[in-house]
């Protein structure tokens, strides 16, 4: 017997969600964002599943990009933070990776290496993390012209496509920065694509929606027509009844108010389940909804079985996925589904349905 926890991947759901992205993106090409091990779903597995559908892959990690090439995937690859030092540039050339260039320091590295690559120039329009301002854009374009680099796409990233602030101001800033330059553009993440499909540009960059989660607090994945690509499931490994006043787990943060039947699930924060999930976080036992009780420990968590007399050792438990969106578990835990998916631990076996 092995420990019963596993993450089941439904690659047809991934492909379905890519179709939803496609249906929102008019003529734009799609970078499937597969950073962070495809948001915890397995990089090469997901990239291969999308190979016939998508137009390119976007990620952060150079080793990941090389792994895609070594797996025989030959679609364009966009490196979302570009390169960190000039030493990496020969690899960008060798593996045909398109860097995002977001600083003049990077342009100088290109100049020193005398390498001509297609590239993305990232403009800062209000996120204020990475990106060039108007004067830097002018210097960058002058240097790139000297290097005979002409295959350039202008990109930016929106900070509030999912909030009430929206993208209007940043889009206006982007359009004024790129004025007079006829380069293709890319600015839509999942939230932009779903909420402002008219702003798809030449290339869109959906991430979270491919995995079947919602980028919005007020719209569920199901309402957006998305299906969960991952189901994190385990089983009850113990069942007991607490008497009134008995404490449960570390620090006794849950004390039974009356006799309560509880189940112990083989899943904890070392599997990637959020330790901050409070008592009351939704969970499915035998396909029915109940909630967690007490503190999540490293390897276990507890669930309320008061209304489930039929539950027993071995009853299946869904932490998130089919029937319970990771978005709901994340909201209960004060975070976003992105963090939950990316945190699924290496000790959790991934199986495909
Ligand atoms: C991660 C990332 C995306 C994808 O964002 P989602 O919200 O997951 O769709 C798009 N663009 C850039 C630059 C990113 O870093």
């Amino acid at each position: 017997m092995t420990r019963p926890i596993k993450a089941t991947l439904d690659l047809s759901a991934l492909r379905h969600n890519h179709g939803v992205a496609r249906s929102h993106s008019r003529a734009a090409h799609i970078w499937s964002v597969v950073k962070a091990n495809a948001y915890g779903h397995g990089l090469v597995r997901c990239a291969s599943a999308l190979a016939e559908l998508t137009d390119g892959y976007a990620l952060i990690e150079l080793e990941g990009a090389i792994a895609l090439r070594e797996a025989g995937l030959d679609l364009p690859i966009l490196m979302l933070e570009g390169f960190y030092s000039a030493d990496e540039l020969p690899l960008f050339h060798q593996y045909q990776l398109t860097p995002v260039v977001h600083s003049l320091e990077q342009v100088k590295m290109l100049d020193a290496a005398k390498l001509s690559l297609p590239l993305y120039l990232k403009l800062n329009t209000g996120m204020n993390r990475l990106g060039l301002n108007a004067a830097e854009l002018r210097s960058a374009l002058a240097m790139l012209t000297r290097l005979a680099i002409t295959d350039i796409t202008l990109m930016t990233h929106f900070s509030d496509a999912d909030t009430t602030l929206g993208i209007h101001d940043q889009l206006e800033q982007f359009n004024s920065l790129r004025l007079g330059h006829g380069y293709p553009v890319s600015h839509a993440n999942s939230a932009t694509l779903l909420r402002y499909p008219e702003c798809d540009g030449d290339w869109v960059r959906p991430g979270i929606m491919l995995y079947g989660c919602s980028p919005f607090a007020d719209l569920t994945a199901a309402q957006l027509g998305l299906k969960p690509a991952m189901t994190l499931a385990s089983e009850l490994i113990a069942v007991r009844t607490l008497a009134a006043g008995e404490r449960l787990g570390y620090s006794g943060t849950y004390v039974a108010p009356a006799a309560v039947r509880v189940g112990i699930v083989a899943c904890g924060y070392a599997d990637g389940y959020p330790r901050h999930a409070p008592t009351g976080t939704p969970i499915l036992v035998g396909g029915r909804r109940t909630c967690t009780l007490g503190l999540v420990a490293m390897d276990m968590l507890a669930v309320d079985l008061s209304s489930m007399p039929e539950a027993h050792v071995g009853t299946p438990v869904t932490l998130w996925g089919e029937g319970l969106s990771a978005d709901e578990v994340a909201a209960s835990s004060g975070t976003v589904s992105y963090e939950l998916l990316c945190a699924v631990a290496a000790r959790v076996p991934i199986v495909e349905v």
Side-chain angles (χ1 to χ4, degrees), residues 33 35 39 80 122 155 157 189-191 205-208 338:
V33 180
K35 60 189 175 186
Y39 292 49
L80 292 167
K122 187 167 194 173
M155 74 175 278
H157 196 48
N189 57 0
S190 299
R205 309 189 304 265
I208 194 70
Y338 297 74

Side-chain angles (χ1 to χ4, degrees), residues 75-91:
L75 291 175
I77 295 181
L78 180 66
M79 303 301 289
L80 292 167
E81 288 180 355
F83 43 88
Y84 308 91
S85 77
D87 318 344
E88 296 162 53
L89 281 168
L91 293 172

Side-chain angles (χ1 to χ4, degrees), residues 25-304:
S25 44
R26 302 187 301 183
H29 295 290
I30 298 181
W31 291 115
S32 288
V33 180
V34 292
K35 60 189 175 186
N37 194 30
Y39 292 49
H41 294 64
L43 172 63
V44 171
R45 181 187 293 111
C46 290
S48 304
L50 294 173
E52 304 292 311
L53 301 175
T54 200
D55 303 306
Y57 306 110
L59 71 168
I60 297 281
E61 307 83 358
L62 185 54
E63 321 74 64
I66 294 173
L68 293 181
R69 290 294 183 237
E70 286 177 347
L73 298 168
D74 55 8
L75 291 175
I77 295 181
L78 180 66
M79 303 301 289
L80 292 167
E81 288 180 355
F83 43 88
Y84 308 91
S85 77
D87 318 344
E88 296 162 53
L89 281 168
L91 293 172
F92 274 68
H93 184 69
Q94 180 184 345
Y95 291 102
Q96 297 188 31
L97 312 177
T98 302
V100 169
V101 168
H102 57 77
S103 69
L104 287 183
E105 286 81 357
Q106 287 175 314
V107 182
K108 286 173 196 148
M109 291 179 210
L110 274 174
D111 193 20
K114 297 282 173 267
L115 273 180
S116 179
L117 299 169
L119 54 80
Y120 269 47
L121 275 184
K122 187 167 194 173
L123 309 184
N124 178 26
T125 57
M127 180 76 95
N128 296 326
R129 301 184 307 184
L130 306 180
L132 310 172
N133 63 24
E136 290 165 340
L137 174 62
R138 276 193 298 278
S139 324
L141 288 174
M143 284 199 254
L144 295 174
T145 306
R146 279 207 312 280
L147 288 169
I149 295 180
T150 53
D151 188 346
I152 296 172
T153 301
L154 298 180
M155 74 175 278
T156 196
H157 196 48
F158 297 129
S159 59
D160 285 84
D162 58 329
T163 74
T164 51
L165 195 59
I167 65 168
H168 178 266
D169 289 1
Q170 276 190 267
L171 188 61
E172 207 159 74
Q173 174 71 6
F174 182 69
N175 286 334
S176 84
L177 283 171
R178 75 188 185 88
L179 219 61
H181 304 298
Y183 299 117
V185 301
S186 173
H187 40 48
N189 57 0
S190 299
T192 308
L193 187 55
L194 290 164
R195 199 165 155 203
Y196 309 97
E198 69 284 5
C199 293
D200 54 352
D202 297 282
W203 282 83
V204 295
R205 309 189 304 265
I208 194 70
M209 68 179 292
L210 298 179
Y211 307 98
C213 287
S214 170
F216 306 112
D218 56 349
L219 271 177
T220 66
Q223 286 169 326
L224 296 166
L226 302 170
K227 298 180 181 171
M230 176 202 291
T231 294
L232 182 65
S234 187
E235 291 177 5
L236 296 181
I237 57 168
V239 172
R240 68 183 58 255
T241 299
L242 303 181
E246 278 190 312
R247 294 154 43 100
L248 176 62
Y250 286 112
S251 311
T253 61
Y254 178 79
V255 180
V260 183
R261 191 158 186 263
V262 301
I264 306 300
V265 182
C267 175
Y269 60 78
D271 300 298
Y273 194 88
R275 186 173 178 278
H276 291 106
T279 289
T281 299
I283 191 164
L284 305 182
V285 175
R288 286 173 55 212
R289 216 175 155 97
T290 178
C291 70
T292 65
L293 298 176
L295 275 186
V296 173
M298 185 182 275
D299 312 304
M300 285 175 245
L301 56 82
V303 294
D304 184 357

